[in-house]
Amino acid sequence: MQKNKYNNSLILIVAIILTSFTAQSQTAILKGVIKSENNAVELAKVFLQETQVGTVTDTTGKFIIKNILSGTFKVIVIAIGYDKVEKIISIKENEIKELNIELTSNSSSLNEVVISGTMKEVSKLESPVPVEVYTAKFFKTNPTQSIFDALQNVNGVRPQLNCNVCNTGDIHINGLEGPYTMVLIDGMPIVSGLSSVYGLSGIPQSLIERVEIVKGPASTLYGSEAVGGIINIITKKPSSVSLFSTDIFATSWGEINTDIAGKLNVGNKVQSLIGLNYFNYSIPFDNNNDGFTDLTMQNRISVFNKWNFSRKKKRTFSLAGRYIYEERWGGEMNWNKSYRGGDEVYGESIYTSRWEFLGTYQLPFNEKILFQFSANGHDQNSVYGKTPYIAQQYIGFGQLTWNKEFKMNELLIGATYRYTFYDDNTPVTASFDTIGAGKNMPSNTYLPGVFVQDEISINAYNKLLLGIRYDYNSIHGHIASPRLNYKWSSKNKSNILRLGIGNGYRVANVFTEDHAALTGARKVEFISDLKPETSWNGNINFIKKIFTKYGMFIGLDATAYYTYFSNKIIADYDTNPNKIIYDNIDEYAVSKGVSLNIDIALNNGLKFLIGGTYMDVYNVESAIKEWQLFFRTFLQAFWNIGYSIKKIGFTVDYTGNVYSPMRLPLLSDTDPRSEFSPWWSIQNIQFTKKINKGCEIYGGVKNLLNWTPNKGNPFIIARTNDPFDKDVLFDSNGQAIVTSSNPYGLTFDPSYVYGSNQGIRGFLGIRFTFN
């Protein structure tokens, strides 16, 4: 009896084991490849809903899931920077099922896309230098007529208006003025010097693939002007552009913006991209009743053409060109061209004609050797009241780089040469020698340089980047710029830590960079010859990525930075209210702060991108700490919230920003305008409806709160009733005197500006694509 019981138990155990093997042998396998635009998507999470079965893709985008029971399942694919995909599949016993999925990138600024922040294409995850990437889709959430306006919703970046009359401006990164930011097009230093103020408005957004932003000195690779950071505008490749596309929108203020793009194939080896941008605004508004235009009239056309040539072994060869012509004016409401340059009716009128040419050619060697080149010319004919400013600038640039990988090193060696010709009608290009006093002396600057960079892969999780650049400026002499960067990442790359330290330098030209030196009644004074500024920057960046198995993604991107300046150039508005005095400080200046981006994507179509930056910018003179004088906000934040209902092709985007108070330049103790701006915010909402695969309509409201800087102030522009100061009396020291017709003792001054005078407005647009 006992023996039979033992035998029965043994038979039961054997039966269970056999049943288990039989069940396992009857399970199926699911495998495939996850791609996006023909590129493998690494670390995508693939799993079967309501099961414990799942995996992640390898470096080639491949995945394989084993031991799947037969049945019907919902396959979910999640990858950071891409929209979630769900597929219903049925799988049979012992079946090996193949499933290939194409992902669509979303507008996340934490997108893992290919970038060129280290002057070579790498994955953002692998770059030892922190680079923020913003795609064309991101900028569509708040359509604007220029890249200058589009950057208002990027954390730590602030488009700063510098004139209430002509509305020109520059781009501030982490509290530093526009001249500290280098703007590149396809890695070429196209927008600089004279065009840093006037050349940011004519880049067609329809041709922008993405915008890369590096915060902190990049002089080691890009030279002067990259002290505060770089903004690299990457244009689309002809192969990635639709056969024809157009994007047209208009606002209730009468602004009309048109983008047209198309491509052309010449045989099998040549592709061309053509783009046209036209912007017009010609209806003057004066909602603040000061007699001056609230927004500058503009008429601008820009043409862009890019050619790609197919070569053996996929070697690179591309050429591109752009031409822009713009007329803009602002001033008294009754101004017209007949008053240009006179003292009867005040107006600021700027005619800009600009051309650009750039290209990249990979030499026919086994080694990867690239020659990049560019040239541009900028011709400006402008008047500010009765003050003319006529300027020409021509820049030629060439760069040869060699990229070599060996063992754990990736070496980049380069040689550059940059020539800049600059001429204007100001004292900057006048001779003061005894013999040639008063003679025009255009500036010719020669800037040869060499650089070397070594990216060392210590192991799969640690990278070290060492670099140094040497330049010889024909005016200022020898300049060296070293840098060091370190990156650590966790095994699954969900945690990334970056450390960096680097040196930067900048050679200033006040009249091309600072619009305040030209407009208004203030005179410009230089205490001494301006020396090049130098800086040392240290930063730490940490990225944390979290995604749940139910499709929710959370991304955190935090940065702390510290920049120390020597010879910093300061514009002094305080010492004499009738002057702007420029000089290098004797001691030092500091710019430090922290920033945080939070990126959240829910599986119901709701997305949040929220960020903020705290900045502390100050100078130290004679052991006295003085906060940066003007136009410096200590805190700024932004948000981009979107919700999509894909079934009906409907999307809502709510974008905005908020700025803390900043100190503003007053003319005297009796000036009634506020010394500090208030907290202020610009908020927008947009609704987009997809009509079909190639057409969508969008519209909404900009500046929902109808905020304008005149609120709380008696006026913004001082003495608009007497812009030529004909009725102003001055004392022996040149100070304006209080009189019955000038109760505050002021002169004409439009430099009190920190935001646009353009109030609430509606907009409506249509996008059409034909493939």
Side-chain angles (χ1 to χ4, degrees):
M1 184 76 177
Q2 186 71 23
K3 184 176 180 180
N4 289 337
K5 187 175 181 180
Y6 172 78
N7 290 336
N8 291 338
S9 298
L10 184 61
I11 293 170
L12 180 61
I13 292 172
V14 171
I16 291 172
I17 293 173
L18 290 174
T19 302
S20 175
F21 275 113
T22 302
Q24 188 169 356
S25 67
Q26 293 176 348
T27 57
I29 294 175
L30 177 66
K31 67 178 184 177
V33 180
I34 309 298
K35 289 186 176 183
S36 178
E37 297 181 355
N38 294 321
N39 295 315
V41 178
E42 183 184 1
L43 296 177
K45 190 172 183 179
V46 185
F47 62 95
L48 307 185
Q49 192 177 46
E50 298 180 356
T51 74
Q52 299 299 315
V53 180
T55 187
V56 294
T57 57
D58 61 18
T59 56
T60 64
K62 294 180 180 179
F63 72 92
I64 183 168
I65 303 176
K66 300 179 179 179
N67 302 325
I68 304 174
L69 298 175
S70 61
T72 299
F73 301 93
K74 178 183 287 188
V75 180
I76 298 178
V77 181
I78 301 171
I80 299 171
Y82 299 91
D83 292 333
K84 184 180 71 169
V85 171
E86 298 179 354
K87 295 280 186 181
I88 303 295
I89 65 165
S90 295
I91 195 163
K92 301 176 183 179
E93 293 181 358
N94 300 321
E95 182 182 2
I96 300 177
K97 192 175 188 68
E98 188 165 333
L99 179 66
N100 299 323
I101 293 178
E102 180 77 12
L103 297 184
T104 302
S105 65
N106 60 33
S107 60
S108 167
S109 69
L110 304 179
N111 229 344
E112 271 61 38
V113 298
V114 176
I115 62 171
S116 53
T118 54
M119 207 178 280
K120 57 187 180 63
E121 291 191 339
V122 295
S123 164
K124 179 181 175 181
L125 287 174
E126 297 300 327
S127 173
V129 179
V131 181
E132 296 179 15
V133 180
Y134 297 88
T135 65
K137 191 174 181 179
F138 171 85
F139 294 114
K140 286 181 180 179
T141 60
N142 180 32
T144 60
Q145 50 92 3
S146 71
I147 190 66
F148 175 82
D149 296 310
L151 292 171
Q152 63 184 283
N153 287 325
V154 175
N155 191 17
V157 177
R158 184 168 68 88
Q160 167 66 39
L161 285 179
N162 295 324
C163 177
N164 265 313
V165 180
C166 67
N167 290 167
T168 52
D170 52 23
I171 297 174
H172 293 205
I173 292 183
N174 288 343
L176 297 177
E177 299 95 324
Y180 294 91
T181 301
M182 174 172 272
V183 181
L184 310 170
I185 299 179
D186 289 335
M188 295 287 97
I190 297 295
V191 182
S192 61
L194 191 63
S195 61
S196 63
V197 176
Y198 304 97
L200 293 171
S201 299
I203 302 172
Q205 289 198 59
S206 61
L207 300 179
I208 296 175
E209 179 181 296
R210 64 188 186 273
V211 175
E212 307 168 359
I213 298 176
V214 178
K215 299 173 183 176
S219 294
T220 302
L221 285 182
Y222 297 101
S224 181
E225 301 173 32
V227 174
I230 63 170
I231 297 174
N232 194 2
I233 301 167
I234 307 298
T235 61
K236 294 178 180 178
K237 298 177 181 178
S239 58
S240 65
V241 177
S242 302
L243 187 63
F244 174 82
S245 66
T246 183
D247 187 346
I248 303 172
F249 75 86
T251 74
S252 57
W253 273 51
E255 301 163 288
I256 299 175
N257 187 78
T258 302
D259 278 327
I260 299 174
K263 70 177 179 181
L264 173 69
N265 294 327
V266 182
N268 297 323
K269 295 186 176 181
V270 181
Q271 290 182 317
S272 177
L273 176 156
I274 303 173
L276 171 71
N277 171 257
Y278 177 70
F279 176 76
N280 180 271
Y281 170 65
S282 54
I283 304 174
F285 279 83
D286 181 23
N287 290 331
N288 59 11
N289 299 314
D290 64 357
F292 271 57
T293 53
D294 290 342
L295 188 66
T296 304
M297 307 301 108
Q298 298 178 54
N299 189 39
R300 180 179 65 247
I301 186 168
S302 175
V303 181
F304 180 86
N305 188 207
K306 186 174 184 178
W307 293 80
N308 274 12
F309 302 86
S310 298
R311 300 172 60 210
K312 293 180 179 179
K313 298 184 179 180
K314 297 183 178 180
R315 292 191 178 104
T316 302
F317 181 31
S318 67
L319 297 172
R322 182 172 73 115
Y323 176 76
I324 176 174
Y325 180 79
E326 180 187 77
E327 292 186 9
R328 64 166 59 204
W329 76 268
E332 293 187 78
M333 291 289 288
N334 60 333
W335 187 92
N336 59 56
K337 290 183 180 181
S338 66
Y339 297 111
R340 194 174 196 263
D343 63 356
E344 185 177 351
V345 178
Y346 188 90
E348 296 186 2
S349 170
I350 303 167
Y351 300 158
T352 300
S353 176
R354 177 175 175 80
W355 59 267
E356 301 164 352
F357 177 73
L358 61 153
T360 301
Y361 179 78
Q362 185 175 349
L363 274 61
F365 301 124
N366 291 330
E367 301 290 338
K368 188 174 182 180
I369 303 176
L370 290 178
F371 177 59
Q372 295 172 291
F373 50 91
S374 68
N376 63 78
H378 193 106
D379 192 337
Q380 181 178 319
N381 182 321
S382 52
V383 291
Y384 301 89
K386 60 180 180 179
T387 303
Y389 177 60
I390 313 298
Q392 295 83 36
Q393 176 180 273
Y394 301 98
I395 298 176
F397 176 81
Q399 176 172 275
L400 191 67
T401 59
W402 174 50
N403 190 206
K404 178 67 176 179
E405 295 184 37
F406 59 96
K407 296 183 179 179
M408 57 190 291
N409 300 272
E410 185 170 357
L411 199 63
L412 180 69
I413 299 175
T416 68
Y417 187 85
R418 182 173 176 175
Y419 166 73
T420 303
F421 169 90
Y422 175 75
D423 189 20
D424 66 20
N425 63 324
T426 73
V428 170
T429 56
S431 172
F432 295 96
D433 294 337
T434 304
I435 298 176
K439 182 180 177 182
N440 185 48
M441 296 287 289
S443 170
N444 293 276
T445 307
Y446 307 91
L447 188 65
V450 292
F451 61 87
V452 60
Q453 173 182 279
D454 188 14
E455 187 173 321
I456 306 169
S457 298
I458 301 171
N459 52 43
Y461 314 115
N462 294 272
K463 279 190 177 183
L464 184 67
L465 180 73
L466 304 173
I468 188 168
R469 180 186 181 105
Y470 166 79
D471 288 299
Y472 179 78
N473 186 292
S474 59
I475 298 176
H476 299 285
H478 309 276
I479 305 170
S481 305
R483 79 165 171 178
L484 181 149
N485 294 86
Y486 166 77
K487 180 187 78 73
W488 168 85
S489 62
S490 60
K491 186 175 181 180
N492 62 0
K493 299 182 181 178
S494 61
N495 299 285
I496 297 176
L497 177 68
R498 294 182 175 97
L499 304 173
I501 184 172
N503 172 254
Y505 73 96
R506 185 177 78 90
V507 178
N509 186 329
V510 168
F511 288 98
T512 66
E513 298 170 352
D514 192 348
H515 184 269
L518 295 165
T519 188
R522 293 178 185 257
K523 291 181 172 58
V524 175
E525 182 176 306
F526 299 94
I527 298 297
S528 60
D529 291 337
L530 298 179
K531 303 172 186 176
E533 298 178 340
T534 59
S535 69
W536 281 95
N537 171 272
N539 61 76
I540 179 171
N541 171 254
F542 178 70
I543 292 177
K544 174 73 175 179
K545 298 175 292 183
I546 307 166
F547 56 98
T548 69
K549 74 174 187 176
Y550 296 109
M552 180 179 177
F553 163 70
I554 302 174
L556 304 175
D557 188 339
T559 300
Y561 64 91
Y562 182 95
T563 306
Y564 177 96
F565 289 92
S566 300
N567 293 333
K568 194 170 191 302
I569 298 169
I570 298 296
D572 179 3
Y573 289 77
D574 279 341
T575 301
N576 188 328
N578 297 313
K579 294 181 179 180
I580 306 175
I581 303 172
Y582 293 90
D583 195 16
N584 297 98
I585 62 173
D586 294 326
E587 295 190 33
Y588 66 91
V590 170
S591 172
K592 60 183 179 180
V594 293
S595 68
L596 175 65
N597 280 339
I598 303 174
D599 194 355
I600 303 173
L602 307 181
N603 59 12
N604 62 0
L606 188 59
K607 298 176 184 178
F608 301 85
L609 182 57
I610 303 169
T613 300
Y614 170 79
M615 296 160 283
D616 186 12
V617 184
Y618 59 87
N619 313 317
V620 175
E621 288 270 44
S622 303
I624 299 175
K625 182 178 179 180
E626 185 178 56
W627 272 266
Q628 195 82 8
L629 293 179
F630 303 112
F631 311 116
R632 305 295 179 273
T633 179
F634 68 86
L635 182 65
Q636 66 182 72
F638 84 101
W639 60 88
N640 188 319
I641 302 172
Y643 180 68
S644 297
I645 307 174
K646 291 188 175 181
K647 290 182 179 180
I648 62 174
F650 184 77
T651 302
V652 180
D653 294 294
Y654 171 49
T655 59
N657 50 52
V658 61
Y659 298 103
S660 67
M662 63 185 81
R663 190 181 172 210
L664 301 168
L666 300 181
L667 292 178
S668 68
D669 293 336
T670 56
D671 194 330
R673 295 174 294 183
S674 300
E675 184 179 3
F676 291 89
S677 67
W679 286 86
W680 58 284
S681 174
I682 299 293
Q683 301 177 26
N684 320 286
I685 191 166
Q686 174 182 257
F687 304 94
T688 304
K689 177 68 174 74
K690 191 172 184 179
I691 305 302
N692 53 45
K693 189 175 181 180
C695 181
E696 64 181 22
I697 297 175
Y698 60 93
V701 180
K702 289 180 178 291
N703 197 355
L704 282 165
L705 304 181
N706 195 27
W707 175 88
T708 53
N710 64 295
K711 295 181 178 179
N713 271 310
F715 50 81
I716 295 296
I717 304 176
R719 289 193 62 78
T720 56
N721 63 313
D722 182 23
F724 296 101
D725 292 337
K726 294 180 179 179
D727 297 326
V728 178
L729 299 179
F730 298 92
D731 61 20
S732 59
N733 296 319
Q735 304 295 317
I737 300 173
V738 174
T739 64
S740 58
S741 61
N742 188 9
Y744 303 114
L746 307 179
T747 57
F748 174 69
D749 177 35
S751 63
Y752 184 98
V753 57
Y754 57 96
S756 173
N757 288 311
Q758 192 174 23
I760 189 171
R761 60 208 179 275
F763 67 96
L764 182 66
I766 183 170
R767 298 187 184 99
F768 175 77
T769 302
F770 178 71
N771 292 313

